Amino acid sequence: MTHTLASPATAELEVRRSRFLALVTPVEDREAALAEVARLRAEHPAAAHVCWALLAGGHSGMSDDGEPSGTAGRPILEVLRHHDLDGVLGAVVRYFGGVKLGAGGLVRAYTDAVALAVAGAEKVERIPETVLRVEADYADAERVRRWAEAEGYAEPEAEYGEAVLLLLRVPAVARDAAAIALADLSNGRVRIAD
């Protein structure tokens, strides 16, 4: 069972005058993760390094951002894996304090900073989702919207043309039941596109 985070969490660690500001945050994909890394760089322009690792829906990535190879991104990634996290970005902003830590010291510092942030984060079970592509007329589209709201699903994205195409995120295990419920709701008029 994998988990994600309910909300971002931070921690700060000082090691031999270097400051390590750690952030763990839920993200949907690589694009959202890179946007968050860019935000951190803009927020901390004087930082020596902004190192990160990502696990999101089978996508992973990491960056040592100028630190010696394998001393920052990989330790951050290993902390995320150790805690069975998915849909999570781990990032650490380092302000260099003038004392070199060596490879082992860097690995420990990045590992400890991210582990502190994860320890302070609320973890929630990650439920795999799928997107239902629902084609409906305008009247049925409103019924689908109300049904989705009553079921606790996010407002569907909609594309309007001769008919309405609604993109509805549902838990993968509920896909078939949702398709049946929508067919019943509209007396078979809505179509689930593949």
Side-chain angles (χ1 to χ4, degrees):
M1 174 174 29
T2 61
H3 294 84
T4 190
L5 304 177
S7 59
T10 59
E12 184 172 340
L13 182 67
E14 188 170 320
V15 179
R16 300 178 71 189
R17 297 198 314 253
S18 279
R19 286 178 56 218
F20 294 84
L21 309 175
L23 165 74
V24 289
T25 188
V27 291
E28 284 296 316
D29 53 27
R30 186 178 184 88
E31 186 179 321
L34 294 177
E36 185 63 22
V37 170
R39 185 194 67 76
L40 286 172
R41 286 185 201 288
E43 191 176 303
H44 300 277
H49 307 280
V50 178
C51 305
W52 58 270
L54 165 71
L55 285 174
H59 297 275
S60 63
M62 61 186 154
S63 170
D64 292 319
D65 191 36
E67 292 283 28
S69 181
T71 61
R74 174 138 328 264
I76 295 169
L77 185 66
E78 291 307 317
V79 171
L80 300 180
R81 284 187 175 144
H82 176 76
H83 289 277
D84 295 318
L85 294 172
D86 191 31
V88 175
L89 168 72
V92 179
V93 176
R94 180 184 181 198
Y95 285 92
F96 183 60
V99 177
K100 293 191 179 218
L101 302 179
L106 288 171
V107 168
R108 275 189 302 281
Y110 281 102
T111 298
D112 292 349
V114 170
L116 274 172
V118 169
E122 180 187 350
K123 296 174 201 80
V124 292
E125 184 179 348
R126 183 159 172 94
I127 299 170
E129 290 184 327
T130 189
V131 175
L132 278 180
R133 296 171 50 85
V134 181
E135 293 178 6
D137 64 25
Y138 282 78
D140 285 330
E142 190 52 39
R143 285 186 190 91
V144 170
R145 250 196 204 86
R146 285 194 306 270
W147 175 85
E149 183 180 322
E151 293 294 315
Y153 300 139
E155 171 81 17
E157 295 175 34
E159 295 175 16
Y160 297 93
E162 284 185 29
V164 181
L165 174 63
L166 297 155
L167 303 177
L168 179 62
R169 289 187 163 288
V170 298
V173 296
R175 184 192 192 286
D176 293 341
I180 291 167
L182 291 170
D184 288 348
L185 177 75
S186 67
N187 294 321
R189 289 185 303 271
V190 301
R191 190 170 88 73
I192 308 298
D194 291 326

